[in-house]
Amino acid sequence: MTIPVWLARLVTYIRWRYFGSPTHPSWVLSALSDFSFSNAKLRATGWLPHYNSTEAIRSALGMECK
């Protein structure tokens, strides 16, 4: 079932404002946006990442990298 964006924002706002939901209404539009990025321009300048994806996730979770 698909619902209109305005309805999703309204329901999310009511839940956030009056029922203490941690989800802000602006997240509805954020969920519809593409947030994929590329580091190709940075790599072209000679930049290299310090960590790979696995190491970054483990670091964010406070786990030791092996």
Side-chain angles (χ1 to χ4, degrees):
M1 179 171 111
T2 303
I3 62 169
V5 174
W6 67 265
L7 180 58
R9 288 188 74 186
L10 176 64
V11 170
T12 306
Y13 175 78
I14 291 170
R15 291 183 67 213
W16 174 75
R17 179 72 170 99
Y18 299 107
F19 297 104
S21 172
T23 306
H24 191 272
S26 64
W27 289 22
V28 172
L29 293 180
S30 297
L32 300 174
S33 302
D34 180 18
F35 285 102
S36 58
F37 298 97
S38 170
N39 62 10
K41 289 183 180 180
L42 287 172
R43 286 182 182 263
T45 65
W47 176 86
L48 292 174
H50 292 283
Y51 306 100
N52 65 29
S53 297
T54 303
E55 292 169 339
I57 291 171
R58 285 183 175 170
S59 176
L61 295 175
M63 300 170 63
E64 207 174 297
C65 293
K66 292 183 180 181

